[in-house]
PDB file of all heavy atoms in Angstrom:
ATOM      1  N   VAL P 258      -1.955  15.578  22.623  1.00 97.00           N
ATOM      2  CA  VAL P 258      -1.733  14.105  23.006  1.00 97.00           C
ATOM      3  C   VAL P 258      -2.276  13.788  24.422  1.00 97.00           C
ATOM      4  O   VAL P 258      -2.882  12.797  24.542  1.00 97.00           O
ATOM      5  CB  VAL P 258      -0.169  13.726  22.974  1.00 97.00           C
ATOM      6  CG1 VAL P 258       0.027  12.365  23.385  1.00 97.00           C
ATOM      7  CG2 VAL P 258       0.351  13.865  21.527  1.00 97.00           C
ATOM      8  N   ILE P 280      -5.024  11.271  12.875  1.00 97.00           N
ATOM      9  CA  ILE P 280      -6.418  10.911  13.189  1.00 97.00           C
ATOM     10  C   ILE P 280      -7.363  11.225  12.178  1.00 97.00           C
ATOM     11  O   ILE P 280      -7.221  12.193  11.337  1.00 97.00           O
ATOM     12  CB  ILE P 280      -6.961  11.450  14.551  1.00 97.00           C
ATOM     13  CG1 ILE P 280      -6.904  13.062  14.503  1.00 97.00           C
ATOM     14  CG2 ILE P 280      -6.071  10.986  15.721  1.00 97.00           C
ATOM     15  CD1 ILE P 280      -7.546  13.624  15.712  1.00 97.00           C
ATOM     16  N   ILE P 282     -11.771  11.610  10.904  1.00 97.00           N
ATOM     17  CA  ILE P 282     -12.833  12.399  11.448  1.00 97.00           C
ATOM     18  C   ILE P 282     -13.413  11.930  12.756  1.00 97.00           C
ATOM     19  O   ILE P 282     -13.856  12.710  13.544  1.00 97.00           O
ATOM     20  CB  ILE P 282     -13.965  12.395  10.348  1.00 97.00           C
ATOM     21  CG1 ILE P 282     -15.058  13.471  10.694  1.00 97.00           C
ATOM     22  CG2 ILE P 282     -14.538  10.976  10.132  1.00 97.00           C
ATOM     23  CD1 ILE P 282     -16.099  13.612   9.609  1.00 97.00           C
ATOM     24  N   MET P 316     -13.406  17.534  10.550  1.00 95.00           N
ATOM     25  CA  MET P 316     -14.523  17.495   9.646  1.00 95.00           C
ATOM     26  C   MET P 316     -14.140  17.106   8.207  1.00 95.00           C
ATOM     27  O   MET P 316     -14.986  16.476   7.496  1.00 95.00           O
ATOM     28  CB  MET P 316     -15.330  18.805   9.672  1.00 95.00           C
ATOM     29  CG  MET P 316     -16.559  18.872   8.827  1.00 95.00           C
ATOM     30  SD  MET P 316     -17.488  20.386   9.065  1.00 95.00           S
ATOM     31  CE  MET P 316     -16.183  21.591   8.503  1.00 95.00           C
ATOM     32  N   LYS P 324     -17.497   0.792   8.829  1.00 94.00           N
ATOM     33  CA  LYS P 324     -18.342  -0.396   8.879  1.00 94.00           C
ATOM     34  C   LYS P 324     -19.762  -0.047   8.342  1.00 94.00           C
ATOM     35  O   LYS P 324     -20.546  -1.001   8.085  1.00 94.00           O
ATOM     36  CB  LYS P 324     -18.521  -0.910  10.319  1.00 94.00           C
ATOM     37  CG  LYS P 324     -17.126  -1.463  10.811  1.00 94.00           C
ATOM     38  CD  LYS P 324     -16.633  -2.654  10.020  1.00 94.00           C
ATOM     39  CE  LYS P 324     -15.341  -3.199  10.519  1.00 94.00           C
ATOM     40  NZ  LYS P 324     -14.929  -4.443   9.730  1.00 94.00           N
ATOM     41  N   ILE P 416     -22.058  28.433  41.698  1.00 64.00           N
ATOM     42  CA  ILE P 416     -20.675  28.880  41.638  1.00 64.00           C
ATOM     43  C   ILE P 416     -19.724  27.797  41.278  1.00 64.00           C
ATOM     44  O   ILE P 416     -18.875  27.929  40.418  1.00 64.00           O
ATOM     45  CB  ILE P 416     -20.329  29.587  43.066  1.00 64.00           C
ATOM     46  CG1 ILE P 416     -21.116  30.916  43.171  1.00 64.00           C
ATOM     47  CG2 ILE P 416     -18.789  29.919  43.021  1.00 64.00           C
ATOM     48  CD1 ILE P 416     -20.896  31.463  44.603  1.00 64.00           C
ATOM     49  N   MET P 426     -24.653  32.085  30.519  1.00 44.00           N
ATOM     50  CA  MET P 426     -25.720  33.091  30.054  1.00 44.00           C
ATOM     51  C   MET P 426     -25.162  33.749  28.919  1.00 44.00           C
ATOM     52  O   MET P 426     -25.857  34.076  27.932  1.00 44.00           O
ATOM     53  CB  MET P 426     -26.010  34.119  31.177  1.00 44.00           C
ATOM     54  CG  MET P 426     -26.558  33.271  32.444  1.00 44.00           C
ATOM     55  SD  MET P 426     -28.091  32.419  32.080  1.00 44.00           S
ATOM     56  CE  MET P 426     -29.145  33.738  31.684  1.00 44.00           C
ATOM     57  N   GLN P 439     -31.684   5.417   9.780  1.00 90.00           N
ATOM     58  CA  GLN P 439     -30.781   4.507   9.135  1.00 90.00           C
ATOM     59  C   GLN P 439     -31.691   3.567   8.376  1.00 90.00           C
ATOM     60  O   GLN P 439     -31.893   2.450   8.593  1.00 90.00           O
ATOM     61  CB  GLN P 439     -30.009   3.763  10.193  1.00 90.00           C
ATOM     62  CG  GLN P 439     -28.845   2.982   9.737  1.00 90.00           C
ATOM     63  CD  GLN P 439     -27.606   3.729   9.659  1.00 90.00           C
ATOM     64  OE1 GLN P 439     -27.712   4.920   9.690  1.00 90.00           O
ATOM     65  NE2 GLN P 439     -26.492   3.055   9.643  1.00 90.00           N
ATOM     66  N   VAL P 463     -26.474  -8.637  -1.039  1.00 97.00           N
ATOM     67  CA  VAL P 463     -25.313  -9.164  -0.392  1.00 97.00           C
ATOM     68  C   VAL P 463     -24.260  -9.559  -1.275  1.00 97.00           C
ATOM     69  O   VAL P 463     -24.517  -9.968  -2.423  1.00 97.00           O
ATOM     70  CB  VAL P 463     -25.785 -10.250   0.595  1.00 97.00           C
ATOM     71  CG1 VAL P 463     -26.877  -9.780   1.668  1.00 97.00           C
ATOM     72  CG2 VAL P 463     -26.230 -11.511  -0.086  1.00 97.00           C
ATOM     73  N   ASP P 483     -27.417 -12.580  -8.775  1.00 97.00           N
ATOM     74  CA  ASP P 483     -28.789 -12.273  -9.157  1.00 97.00           C
ATOM     75  C   ASP P 483     -28.832 -10.944 -10.054  1.00 97.00           C
ATOM     76  O   ASP P 483     -29.450  -9.992  -9.696  1.00 97.00           O
ATOM     77  CB  ASP P 483     -29.709 -12.143  -8.000  1.00 97.00           C
ATOM     78  CG  ASP P 483     -29.809 -13.447  -7.190  1.00 97.00           C
ATOM     79  OD1 ASP P 483     -29.862 -14.561  -7.880  1.00 97.00           O
ATOM     80  OD2 ASP P 483     -29.793 -13.289  -5.977  1.00 97.00           O
ATOM     81  N   ASP P 530       4.811  -4.144 -18.760  1.00 91.00           N
ATOM     82  CA  ASP P 530       5.213  -2.896 -17.965  1.00 91.00           C
ATOM     83  C   ASP P 530       4.284  -1.775 -18.359  1.00 91.00           C
ATOM     84  O   ASP P 530       4.193  -1.293 -19.424  1.00 91.00           O
ATOM     85  CB  ASP P 530       6.647  -2.549 -18.264  1.00 91.00           C
ATOM     86  CG  ASP P 530       7.184  -1.385 -17.472  1.00 91.00           C
ATOM     87  OD1 ASP P 530       6.394  -0.928 -16.601  1.00 91.00           O
ATOM     88  OD2 ASP P 530       8.317  -0.878 -17.739  1.00 91.00           O
ATOM     89  N   LEU P 539      -2.465   1.702 -24.349  1.00 93.00           N
ATOM     90  CA  LEU P 539      -3.423   0.761 -23.988  1.00 93.00           C
ATOM     91  C   LEU P 539      -4.182   0.224 -25.310  1.00 93.00           C
ATOM     92  O   LEU P 539      -4.583  -0.901 -25.322  1.00 93.00           O
ATOM     93  CB  LEU P 539      -4.414   1.284 -22.957  1.00 93.00           C
ATOM     94  CG  LEU P 539      -3.858   1.628 -21.712  1.00 93.00           C
ATOM     95  CD1 LEU P 539      -4.841   2.301 -20.732  1.00 93.00           C
ATOM     96  CD2 LEU P 539      -3.333   0.357 -20.938  1.00 93.00           C
ATOM     97  N   ALA P 558     -17.439  -1.868 -26.142  1.00 93.00           N
ATOM     98  CA  ALA P 558     -17.009  -1.462 -27.489  1.00 93.00           C
ATOM     99  C   ALA P 558     -18.224  -1.340 -28.504  1.00 93.00           C
ATOM    100  O   ALA P 558     -18.291  -0.426 -29.300  1.00 93.00           O
ATOM    101  CB  ALA P 558     -16.011  -2.430 -28.055  1.00 93.00           C
ATOM    102  N   ARG P 585     -25.331   4.660 -14.102  1.00 94.00           N
ATOM    103  CA  ARG P 585     -24.943   5.499 -12.887  1.00 94.00           C
ATOM    104  C   ARG P 585     -26.199   5.851 -12.171  1.00 94.00           C
ATOM    105  O   ARG P 585     -27.288   5.713 -12.614  1.00 94.00           O
ATOM    106  CB  ARG P 585     -24.132   6.751 -13.418  1.00 94.00           C
ATOM    107  CG  ARG P 585     -25.137   7.739 -13.980  1.00 94.00           C
ATOM    108  CD  ARG P 585     -24.389   9.106 -14.234  1.00 94.00           C
ATOM    109  NE  ARG P 585     -25.417  10.198 -14.563  1.00 94.00           N
ATOM    110  CZ  ARG P 585     -24.961  11.437 -14.662  1.00 94.00           C
ATOM    111  NH1 ARG P 585     -23.732  11.759 -14.631  1.00 94.00           N
ATOM    112  NH2 ARG P 585     -25.880  12.356 -15.018  1.00 94.00           N
ATOM    113  N   LYS P 615     -14.045   2.859  -1.258  1.00 94.00           N
ATOM    114  CA  LYS P 615     -12.577   2.729  -0.913  1.00 94.00           C
ATOM    115  C   LYS P 615     -12.329   1.474  -0.149  1.00 94.00           C
ATOM    116  O   LYS P 615     -11.311   0.892  -0.255  1.00 94.00           O
ATOM    117  CB  LYS P 615     -12.122   3.931  -0.137  1.00 94.00           C
ATOM    118  CG  LYS P 615     -12.008   5.227  -1.086  1.00 94.00           C
ATOM    119  CD  LYS P 615     -11.297   6.310  -0.408  1.00 94.00           C
ATOM    120  CE  LYS P 615     -11.016   7.445  -1.301  1.00 94.00           C
ATOM    121  NZ  LYS P 615     -12.153   7.981  -2.045  1.00 94.00           N
ATOM    122  N   ASP P 635      -0.511   5.571 -10.280  1.00 93.00           N
ATOM    123  CA  ASP P 635      -0.167   6.647 -11.203  1.00 93.00           C
ATOM    124  C   ASP P 635      -1.345   7.286 -11.851  1.00 93.00           C
ATOM    125  O   ASP P 635      -1.398   8.574 -11.930  1.00 93.00           O
ATOM    126  CB  ASP P 635       0.842   6.197 -12.193  1.00 93.00           C
ATOM    127  CG  ASP P 635       2.197   5.757 -11.712  1.00 93.00           C
ATOM    128  OD1 ASP P 635       2.491   6.206 -10.503  1.00 93.00           O
ATOM    129  OD2 ASP P 635       3.006   5.051 -12.346  1.00 93.00           O
ATOM    130  N   PHE P 636      -2.264   6.542 -12.256  1.00 93.00           N
ATOM    131  CA  PHE P 636      -3.498   7.124 -12.984  1.00 93.00           C
ATOM    132  C   PHE P 636      -4.244   7.985 -12.015  1.00 93.00           C
ATOM    133  O   PHE P 636      -4.633   9.162 -12.353  1.00 93.00           O
ATOM    134  CB  PHE P 636      -4.344   5.929 -13.619  1.00 93.00           C
ATOM    135  CG  PHE P 636      -5.621   6.499 -14.125  1.00 93.00           C
ATOM    136  CD1 PHE P 636      -5.641   7.004 -15.416  1.00 93.00           C
ATOM    137  CD2 PHE P 636      -6.758   6.465 -13.429  1.00 93.00           C
ATOM    138  CE1 PHE P 636      -6.841   7.430 -15.967  1.00 93.00           C
ATOM    139  CE2 PHE P 636      -7.981   7.050 -13.963  1.00 93.00           C
ATOM    140  CZ  PHE P 636      -7.946   7.464 -15.192  1.00 93.00           C
ATOM    141  N   GLU P 638      -3.294   9.403  -9.267  1.00 92.00           N
ATOM    142  CA  GLU P 638      -2.587  10.612  -8.944  1.00 92.00           C
ATOM    143  C   GLU P 638      -2.696  11.680 -10.058  1.00 92.00           C
ATOM    144  O   GLU P 638      -2.895  12.799  -9.824  1.00 92.00           O
ATOM    145  CB  GLU P 638      -1.138  10.290  -8.594  1.00 92.00           C
ATOM    146  CG  GLU P 638      -0.371  11.522  -8.173  1.00 92.00           C
ATOM    147  CD  GLU P 638       1.099  11.245  -8.078  1.00 92.00           C
ATOM    148  OE1 GLU P 638       1.645  10.410  -8.836  1.00 92.00           O
ATOM    149  OE2 GLU P 638       1.712  11.804  -7.184  1.00 92.00           O
TER     150      GLU P 638
END
Side-chain angles (χ1 to χ4, degrees):
V258 171
I280 57 175
I282 188 172
M316 177 175 65
K324 293 298 182 181
I416 292 172
M426 300 300 292
Q439 192 88 341
V463 300
D483 298 320
D530 183 3
L539 294 174
R585 74 171 193 175
K615 286 187 174 56
D635 290 344
F636 174 86
E638 180 187 37

